[in-house]
Amino acid sequence: MGLRNFKVWRGDAAGGELKDYQVDVNEGEVVLDVIHRLQATQEPDLACRWNCKAGKCGSCSMEINGMPRLGCMTRMSTFEEAETVTVTPLRAFPVIRDLVTDVSFNYTKARETPAFAPPAGVAPGDYRMQQIDVERSQEFRKCIECFLCQNTCHVVRDHEENKPAFSGPRFFIRAAELDMHPLDAKTDRKEYAQSAMGLGMCNITKCCTEVCPEHIKITDNAIIPMKERVVDRRYDPLVWLGRKIFRRDQLEEGTAVSSTLHTGETGSVDGAAPVNWHRGIPVAQSASVDDEGKLPLNEVLSDRTGASSPFGDDVTFPVDPKGLNYYHPGK
């Protein structure tokens, strides 16, 4: 492909500037290849962070022509031959040197995010989940922590003062993943995201989704659903009034579940084969009514239909444990 024109930012925390270079580019190469050739032929002290060169470690995050991208996944063939390719460090984080930035902000937020909390009394290796529950959150597990979504989010990109109160899209999908996890013992993921992670500061511009190299639908599948559930719980006047009248949120936790449990110490149900997924077996129920036989106000007035059962709409409860195949391999 011949010589191509580049502008690469050189400097450190004290300041820097864009410098012009002409570098040989071969067919099929990516921007990271060009940076390596620039190091080898012209600028041996050029600092650039990289590791796998396969788009899976997230190390080579940079801004290419102003767009947050992975250097190893941006092919030179996507640019015009006469185009000058500008390579700069991530803008949202402090520069250490050249193209290397200090992304410790993200590790601080990772430590602040409550980890998965297993059910009480359940040992590692004894967890049980249905495949449909695995698939719901599998999308968010693809995150390679390149922090491109964090960098492009204008809440912190343009407002440094927001960083203490805002965790960013990478950790919103972590909260969403755990909120979907049927074995996570913490039930306040949505509320925590709103009160401590700054979920309300996100105005869903979808810029984080646009730059994700793993094509995770961060906004549509994680942030928007969590914001909707928080709003329903906190601000929907019908839900608020219904709770005040019927005191549904003041019921003792686990009362409804404990009445349906038939699980013994061995993990078997009524003497059947062990089924150890640690959830109460629901009993078929009619519409929820109060002592006077009246429906809760929010159910009477809501125009929304209930979501499909994760077990399938053709399954009745209680589920026959003999028909399940989620047994511990060692039992």
Side-chain angles (χ1 to χ4, degrees), residues 4-255:
R4 299 287 292 272
N5 296 321
F6 284 84
K7 285 183 177 292
V8 180
W9 196 90
R10 301 298 310 277
D12 53 26
E17 61 180 355
L18 287 170
K19 290 189 176 182
D20 296 319
Y21 299 97
Q22 282 193 324
V23 188
D24 279 319
V25 177
N26 300 320
E27 186 176 357
E29 289 188 330
V30 296
V31 171
L32 185 60
D33 292 323
V34 176
I35 295 298
H36 286 168
R37 183 169 293 115
L38 183 60
Q39 289 175 320
T41 61
Q42 302 181 46
E43 297 286 358
D45 61 342
L46 173 62
C48 175
R49 184 182 283 134
W50 71 285
N51 189 15
C52 75
K53 201 182 175 184
K56 291 302 177 183
C57 73
S59 299
C60 61
S61 300
M62 58 186 69
E63 295 193 9
I64 303 171
N65 284 0
M67 176 67 73
R69 296 178 177 177
L70 294 179
C72 68
M73 299 298 289
T74 306
R75 293 198 173 274
M76 288 301 303
S77 59
T78 60
F79 305 106
E80 298 292 336
E81 288 189 10
E83 182 178 0
T84 298
V85 179
T86 302
V87 184
T88 56
L90 298 179
R91 174 177 158 182
F93 307 115
V95 173
I96 296 177
R97 181 179 169 187
D98 299 337
L99 301 180
V100 178
T101 55
D102 181 3
V103 294
S104 58
F105 160 81
N106 302 285
Y107 301 117
T108 299
K109 294 301 178 181
R111 288 192 294 268
E112 293 175 356
T113 303
F116 168 76
V122 181
D126 289 339
Y127 306 153
R128 291 294 172 270
M129 290 175 61
Q130 292 199 71
Q131 185 61 34
I132 191 172
D133 292 327
V134 175
E135 292 170 354
R136 288 184 67 201
S137 60
Q138 190 64 30
E139 176 187 13
F140 308 133
R141 299 291 294 181
K142 295 191 300 180
C143 176
I144 61 175
E145 294 200 329
C146 61
F147 304 129
L148 294 182
C149 63
Q150 300 284 87
N151 174 69
T152 196
C153 181
H154 62 274
V155 177
V156 294
R157 183 182 178 93
D158 299 328
H159 305 279
E160 184 73 19
E161 67 277 8
N162 288 338
K163 284 187 176 180
F166 188 75
S167 294
R170 188 278 170 267
F171 301 103
F172 291 155
I173 67 171
R174 174 62 174 159
E177 173 204 337
L178 292 174
D179 191 47
M180 295 177 179
H181 202 302
L183 294 178
D184 183 42
K186 290 187 179 293
T187 58
D188 58 348
R189 297 289 180 181
K190 297 179 290 293
E191 291 296 329
Y192 182 84
Q194 173 68 18
S195 61
M197 299 177 71
L199 180 65
M201 300 171 71
C202 170
N203 57 8
I204 54 177
T205 58
K206 297 190 179 182
C207 51
C208 52
T209 301
E210 292 177 1
V211 301
C212 179
E214 288 293 325
H215 308 291
I216 302 172
K217 295 181 179 178
I218 300 171
T219 312
D220 291 339
N221 291 353
I223 296 177
I224 290 179
M226 288 190 69
K227 288 171 75 75
E228 287 177 342
R229 292 195 292 270
V230 170
V231 168
D232 284 346
R233 176 178 295 181
R234 288 192 169 201
Y235 305 114
D236 188 324
L238 294 180
V239 174
W240 178 85
L241 183 59
R243 287 181 173 178
K244 288 296 183 181
I245 294 175
F246 300 105
R247 305 174 66 84
R248 296 181 72 186
D249 59 341
Q250 298 181 25
L251 295 175
E252 293 185 8
E253 184 178 357
T255 300

